[in-house]
Amino acid sequence: MADSEENNSLFPIFILSMIALPLVPYTILKLFRAASKKTKCINCQCSDCARSGKYRKSVLKRITSVSTCGNLTLVLLWVIMVILVYYIKHMNSENQVFEPFSILGLESGASDSEIKKAYRRLSILYHPDKNPDPAAHKYFVESISKAYQALTDPISRENYEKYGHPDGRQGFQMGIALPQFLLNIDGASGGILLIWIVGVCILLPLVVAVVYLSRSSKYTGNYVKNDTLGAYFHLMKPSLAPSKVMEVFIKAAEFVEIPVRRSDDEPLQKLFMAVRSELNLDLKNIRKEQAKFWKQHPALVKTELLIQAHLTRETANLSPDLERDCKRVLELAPRLLEELIKMALIPRTNKGHGWLRPAIGVIELSQSIVQAVPLSARKAEGIAPFLQLPHFNDDIVKKITRKKVRTFHELQEMTIEERAELFSQVANFSAAEVQDVENVLKLIPSMTVEVTCGTEGEEAIQEGDIVTVQAWVTLKRDNGLIGALPHAPNYPFPKEENFWCLLADTNSNSVWFSQKMSFMDEAAAVSAASTATGERMEVLGASPKETSAAIREAIEKVKNGCRLAMGKFLAPAEGNYNLTCYLLCDSWIGCDRKSSLKLKVLKRTRAGIRGGQVTDGGSLPEDGIDEEEEIEEEEEEEDIESEYSEDEEDNQDTNKKGLANGKVRETSVSESSGSDEE
């Protein structure tokens, strides 16, 4: 019986330990992440964004954001822990170790006369003849009398003083931290214990594993279905035009699950007539094209019409059911578009390169969805960037372009006074509307990129080398922010900016290097830049002092608004290559940048010139970089441009120089003013 009581008392301690082990570190991590979040306002402050309400947090929204399932579970577990601690503390106070000297109020080693005096004194207080209280009677019998007997009996006292217990040496006991009802039920404790072990140790982990595997078999880490990735992979083509990207995008398995109701037929027919000009239908054979369009899967037809309604800003005319479905489509769009970009950039050729043309088309579609700008506006010269500004429409854009403001870049170069005069005279904007436009213009990022390419530990780039590309991207805004949410009043959800750095060969439609960047998480950027810089300096054989200085410089760059994109690619065959570095934003129209980069690859020598050594009777071959040549002429190549983007010349001079750092010779280019105005 005593053993079962001991086991029963250990069970709460066992449960407390199992809860505390994962709960305490997880809570500390969660509090650390919450404390590291910036409280600075990073969303657009114009009246359109304020009217959209997506950044406004009511009391209910604030409570909902805090009272998530994870947070409520966390609080519940802490409450259980507090209750267990209180119960264990109370249980320990009840199950105190038998201490006869403490019970009699004496110090250890007291004499027999002191023990008798203490016993008589306590008898006056607790003896049943003196104190009728039942509790006093219980204490006198179970504690005082037992203590007096243990100390007055010579053998018991000797055992206590020698072994700490009146009964002598105590044997070592082992118990199971399970409640008593599992171990003592009519002799069936073995079966109950077996059921407990099978349930907790086998069935529970098995159920968790089955649920996890069933979900992971359907979804990727980005919560996109594997069926969607398979469809995107097979439908992606190297010559996929931007106008055809929409047809691939809507083939996602998530869109097929959107319900199609009979009540949606008539509203969808009206919506089709409203957006028919945006559907790339052949007007010469319109009846056949319409019939072909409606023969598609009903959910896909509905999805494309809802996206076109969003792009043309016709969502106000949708029924409540269609409006709810449209929000669901737009909620899924960012992560589906990200996976679609990855399917375009995934290595497809035998050289491990991705495809440039479809990647640009996907990013342009992402820009249009975030800013709610029709795809047809990308075809018109310079209209699309204007339409992302508040209070702008096609008529206002036409009036402004008549005033010799042909491009969006020209509008940005104007002074505040000149823009205010232009808006008030041409567009009849009020002072508040002019201020809204200025707020958005200050929020649009201006980006520059500095790219270097080289073979680590080598003086030249030879065919077959592993070439390291390093791109420092700098972002600036007129309002001083680095990370911010874009102005997107028509997009119903908060959307973070993402940037894609692509190093591509436009002649072969191949992407040699790609990396996604974000300016929101500074801590992650500092960690990535310091790690990459440290590894690079280690390869170069730099001293610890030089490595520390380089890491400090990289961290300072990140804090000043720079991000590091670094990767490797295999050097191609011998020759001169005219590469282009694209810096593309998935949320803004007209802020993309590109710069030229000339790369010279030498033929692989038989004995090699590694480490700067010259082979017998030979001399060092040409450097892998054209050090003296400046790229001043315009390359007569067919750049792969979007059919929605305006055709304009790249008037930027690209500096190309050899950079020697230790044993690394690199080719670099710094882009500061060139832009792809769309």
Side-chain angles (χ1 to χ4, degrees):
M1 184 65 182
D3 293 344
S4 63
E5 290 178 356
E6 181 70 17
N7 295 335
N8 193 46
S9 64
L10 291 175
F11 181 69
I13 300 176
F14 172 74
I15 295 297
L16 178 64
S17 302
M18 296 301 294
I19 295 176
L21 283 175
L23 182 61
V24 173
Y26 177 74
T27 304
I28 295 174
L29 179 63
K30 197 172 184 67
L31 291 175
F32 176 77
R33 288 179 177 175
S36 62
K37 287 184 178 179
K38 294 183 177 180
T39 57
K40 189 174 182 180
C41 183
I42 57 174
N43 58 275
C44 181
Q45 301 296 310
C46 73
S47 59
D48 286 352
C49 288
R51 224 174 4 253
S52 67
K54 60 182 176 181
Y55 302 120
R56 189 189 310 119
K57 287 190 176 181
S58 61
V59 176
L60 180 60
K61 285 185 177 180
R62 293 177 187 273
I63 295 175
T64 304
S65 62
V66 175
S67 59
T68 59
C69 293
N71 291 339
L72 292 178
T73 304
L74 197 66
V75 172
L76 179 61
L77 290 175
W78 273 106
V79 170
I80 294 174
M81 275 190 60
V82 171
I83 294 174
L84 286 174
V85 170
Y86 176 78
Y87 175 75
I88 292 170
K89 184 178 179 181
H90 181 67
M91 180 184 63
N92 290 338
S93 64
E94 291 180 351
N95 300 328
Q96 293 180 353
V97 179
F98 180 67
E99 294 284 352
F101 286 106
S102 294
I103 294 173
L104 297 178
L106 299 173
E107 294 183 359
S108 180
S111 62
D112 293 342
S113 60
E114 291 175 341
I115 293 172
K116 292 178 180 179
K117 288 179 181 180
Y119 177 70
R120 285 195 296 268
R121 186 180 68 252
L122 294 175
S123 297
I124 296 174
L125 297 176
Y126 294 100
H127 195 278
D129 295 339
K130 304 294 184 179
N131 191 341
D133 188 1
H137 177 264
K138 180 180 179 181
Y139 182 69
F140 179 80
V141 173
E142 295 181 357
S143 299
I144 298 175
S145 298
K146 186 177 179 181
Y148 177 73
Q149 183 180 358
L151 295 179
T152 53
D153 183 62
I155 298 177
S156 298
R157 181 166 181 175
E158 182 182 359
N159 288 336
Y160 175 75
E161 292 178 352
K162 190 174 182 179
Y163 302 110
H165 198 279
D167 296 332
R169 185 190 297 273
Q170 300 296 301
F172 180 72
Q173 295 181 353
M174 296 183 63
I176 302 176
L178 293 176
Q180 184 177 354
F181 70 88
L182 288 179
L183 300 176
N184 190 17
I185 302 180
D186 297 332
S189 59
I192 298 296
L193 182 60
L194 179 61
I195 295 175
W196 173 267
I197 293 175
V198 171
V200 174
C201 300
I202 299 178
L203 293 181
L204 182 59
L206 186 61
V207 170
V208 173
V210 168
V211 173
Y212 173 77
L213 292 176
S214 63
R215 179 174 178 81
S216 61
S217 63
K218 295 181 181 179
Y219 292 89
T220 64
N222 200 20
Y223 298 103
V224 175
K225 287 192 171 184
N226 291 323
D227 294 341
T228 299
L229 295 186
Y232 284 172
F233 181 83
H234 292 292
L235 293 173
M236 184 63 63
K237 304 297 179 184
S239 59
L240 187 67
S243 60
K244 301 295 183 181
V245 172
M246 176 73 77
E247 299 178 5
V248 178
F249 172 62
I250 64 172
K251 296 298 192 298
E254 286 83 353
F255 293 150
V256 177
E257 296 178 352
I258 294 179
V260 179
R261 312 172 192 87
R262 290 187 177 182
S263 58
D264 296 338
D265 292 344
E266 184 176 351
L268 289 178
Q269 288 286 350
K270 294 180 180 179
L271 183 59
F272 172 80
M273 299 304 297
V275 301
R276 185 172 59 176
S277 59
E278 300 287 335
L279 296 177
N280 292 321
L281 300 180
D282 186 7
L283 298 179
K284 296 180 180 179
N285 196 4
I286 189 63
R287 290 186 178 180
K288 185 177 180 180
E289 290 289 321
Q290 288 184 9
K292 182 180 178 181
F293 176 80
W294 288 103
K295 284 182 179 179
Q296 299 180 91
H297 193 287
L300 302 184
V301 171
K302 181 179 181 178
T303 298
E304 184 170 2
L305 291 177
L306 291 178
I307 294 176
Q308 294 294 351
H310 169 71
L311 296 178
T312 56
R313 304 181 183 182
E314 297 287 343
T315 54
N317 300 325
L318 298 178
S319 64
D321 289 337
L322 289 179
E323 186 176 359
R324 186 165 53 253
D325 294 337
C326 183
K327 287 185 177 180
R328 176 58 179 165
V329 170
L330 297 177
E331 184 181 12
L332 295 171
R335 58 177 180 263
L336 293 178
L337 287 169
E338 181 178 346
E339 296 300 324
L340 191 56
I341 295 174
K342 293 178 181 178
M343 289 298 105
L345 298 176
I346 194 172
R348 300 282 191 142
T349 65
N350 55 358
K351 298 180 180 179
H353 298 161
W355 295 328
L356 176 63
R357 184 178 177 86
I360 293 178
V362 176
I363 293 175
E364 289 187 349
L365 177 59
S366 175
Q367 295 172 352
S368 297
I369 289 178
V370 172
Q371 296 296 337
V373 173
L375 297 177
S376 59
R378 314 284 303 242
K379 298 178 182 179
E381 183 178 357
I383 291 180
F386 289 97
L387 294 178
Q388 66 188 344
L389 298 176
H391 316 299
F392 268 66
N393 54 37
D394 292 338
D395 295 334
I396 293 177
V397 173
K398 291 178 181 178
K399 292 179 181 179
I400 289 179
T401 53
R402 293 195 192 106
K403 296 294 182 179
K404 298 182 180 180
V405 183
R406 298 296 182 184
T407 64
F408 190 69
H409 182 67
E410 292 179 5
L411 180 67
Q412 290 178 303
E413 292 296 321
M414 297 174 66
T415 63
I416 297 177
E417 293 76 13
E418 291 173 344
R419 284 197 295 263
E421 182 180 358
L422 176 67
F423 295 152
S424 59
Q425 291 181 356
V426 177
N428 296 323
F429 281 178
S430 63
E433 292 173 337
V434 171
Q435 187 60 44
D436 285 342
V437 177
E438 290 296 332
N439 289 338
V440 174
L441 289 174
K442 291 178 180 179
L443 192 63
I444 295 177
S446 174
M447 297 178 294
T448 58
V449 59
E450 181 180 354
V451 188
T452 60
C453 290
T455 304
E456 295 179 348
E458 308 294 344
E459 288 192 357
I461 301 176
Q462 296 189 4
E463 55 185 7
D465 284 350
I466 302 298
V467 182
T468 300
V469 56
Q470 177 177 284
W472 277 104
V473 180
T474 305
L475 181 144
K476 294 182 179 179
R477 306 179 200 267
D478 292 340
N479 59 7
L481 292 175
I482 297 177
L485 300 179
H487 164 78
N490 297 286
Y491 189 78
F493 304 99
K495 170 72 172 64
E496 292 186 2
E497 299 171 335
N498 291 309
F499 299 87
W500 287 87
C501 182
L502 310 179
L503 184 63
D505 183 1
T506 55
N507 291 327
S508 61
N509 186 32
S510 59
V511 178
W512 294 19
F513 162 76
S514 64
Q515 184 169 325
K516 176 186 172 184
M517 294 179 296
S518 174
F519 286 81
M520 298 295 291
D521 193 349
E522 183 179 289
V526 167
S527 176
S530 59
T531 301
T533 303
E535 292 176 352
R536 184 169 180 270
M537 296 301 291
E538 183 179 356
V539 172
L540 296 177
S543 64
K545 186 176 181 180
E546 293 173 340
T547 301
S548 299
I551 291 176
R552 285 196 299 270
E553 182 182 357
I555 293 175
E556 190 64 26
K557 280 186 176 182
V558 172
K559 292 182 177 180
N560 291 332
C562 296
R563 294 294 183 268
L564 175 62
M566 181 177 287
K568 300 178 184 295
F569 63 85
L570 188 66
E574 177 189 8
N576 295 323
Y577 295 88
N578 297 317
L579 305 180
T580 304
C581 181
Y582 290 86
L583 191 59
L584 308 174
C585 179
D586 68 348
S587 302
W588 292 100
I589 301 175
C591 71
D592 298 334
R593 296 290 182 268
K594 73 173 183 177
S595 58
S596 299
L597 175 66
K598 181 171 285 188
L599 185 69
K600 188 171 185 178
V601 181
L602 301 178
K603 185 178 181 180
R604 170 74 69 178
T605 58
R606 182 173 301 174
I609 58 168
R610 301 314 185 198
Q613 298 179 355
V614 185
T615 57
D616 293 339
S619 59
L620 287 174
E622 289 184 36
D623 194 352
I625 299 86
D626 201 346
E627 297 184 354
E628 301 177 354
E629 179 181 1
E630 291 188 58
I631 304 174
E632 295 180 350
E633 75 245 8
E634 304 227 348
E635 303 294 340
E636 296 181 358
E637 60 183 19
E638 294 183 0
D639 290 337
I640 299 183
E641 300 285 346
S642 165
E643 63 186 55
Y644 298 137
S645 304
E646 62 175 354
D647 297 329
E648 62 178 10
E649 296 180 350
D650 187 2
N651 296 321
Q652 173 194 358
D653 290 339
T654 308
N655 299 325
K656 180 169 287 285
K657 57 185 179 180
L659 178 61
N661 187 355
K663 293 184 179 179
V664 177
R665 184 69 59 85
E666 298 173 330
T667 177
S668 65
V669 58
S670 177
E671 184 277 321
S672 59
S673 60
S675 64
D676 289 336
E677 302 253 353
E678 301 186 289

